[in-house]
Amino acid sequence: MSAVPYWLQKQRKPELHELAAHVGLTNYDKLLKMDLEQALNDHLRTNKTSLEKDPITTGFYKRLDSPVKRERDSGGHVSAEATSVVQEVKKPKQRRQTLKAREELEAQSDSDNAPQATPGASSSLPLTTTATTTHPHTPPPSSTLSNTTTNPNIPNQPLSNRRPHLPTLPASPSLLADRIEETTTTLTHTATTLYTRSPLPHTLRSLRCTLSSVTSIHLLTLTLELSGLLTHTTPLKYATTIPPFPALGLANPLDMKVPDLFAMLTAEFWAPVLLWFGTAILIPAMGAWFLNLRSEGGYDPVAFGVVRGLGAWIVFFSSPTPASSQSGVVGVVEKSVPGGATGMLVGSAVGVLAGFYEAVLRK
């Protein structure tokens, strides 16, 4: 079996297929590249007389007829002339392969998602690394890779290779305290500015002026009494069940109840509400309008409190039977209002004292 010339080795497999079809070689479709080269070599050597003048195979026979052959001396060693010519032939290929490998390494260092070299691609690299040559203007591959992997300013570098940006701390505790004080002052000034520019201060001042009156005190006491009365006369009705929700601290099912608004259509609701409305609002308002001690338009808050207290005493305390023990409408109002009849008298007395205090301040 003779050695395959370099002219066949440098051909690609599709080119070898075309050459095999041209020279009349059969059964070459399933052959590997090395086996196809050897088959073409034997076929071309056997049919040299008929294929030597073919322009396609001229290069093959020129290689065979060239003086650079594997001529061995008597000791079986390759001659010096043949060795020098072979080295000259191999140097350009080796240089091209080295430059190609360096370009691949630089391309891998520029992108963080470059695929690793496969076994098939590694076979194209030169087998001997002792004779590699370096370009005068290109840095070595190892230095390029090391600079790429250790440089934290490359944006495409993996996060694992980047250096974390650590905040700079003050040099001394006093500077740290000054920095904290400056930050606190800035935050306080910002919060104060936002509060001043918002409508909240004006709203709070208006609310304070509105509540700072005897009328507001009477309204607060009446609202408290009405809330207790509605809670007692409008019972709660089952609506649904909330399932357990451990994330919110609700371990067991919870029954949800809402006020029964249909109770407002019954007499049991309107009888105590109307009794309380007459004794706490309607009759005191009429008395405050007729008995206006301030000689001004509207009604007198002091007279309103006095009439309201008198009405509560007549309705709830004039009977020999205590209001709390009665089972009728009076008993329902007594049990519903916070503090009972005594609470109604206390609310009236607070309104009267506030009226006297306002009158004293005006004079």
Side-chain angles (χ1 to χ4, degrees), residues 6 18 47 64 69 73 94 105 120 127-128 131 175 184 186 206 209 219 234 252 255 263 279 297 302 316 322 332 341:
Y6 176 70
E18 295 177 0
N47 301 281
L64 291 180
K69 296 181 180 179
D73 53 8
Q94 188 175 5
L105 291 175
L127 296 178
T128 58
L175 294 177
T184 306
T186 303
S206 300
C209 293
L219 289 177
T234 309
N252 300 321
D255 294 338
T279 57
V302 176
F316 297 100
V332 173

Side-chain angles (χ1 to χ4, degrees), residues 284-312:
M286 294 175 62
W289 189 79
F290 285 105
L291 302 175
N292 191 347
L293 303 179
R294 295 187 306 177
S295 300
E296 297 178 1
Y299 74 99
D300 188 0
V302 176
F304 181 87
V306 172
V307 176
R308 180 187 172 196
L310 290 175

Side-chain angles (χ1 to χ4, degrees), residues 157-173:
Q157 193 175 1
L159 294 177
S160 59
N161 295 333
R162 297 183 186 178
R163 297 178 181 175
H165 179 69
L166 299 178
T168 57
L169 296 177
S172 63

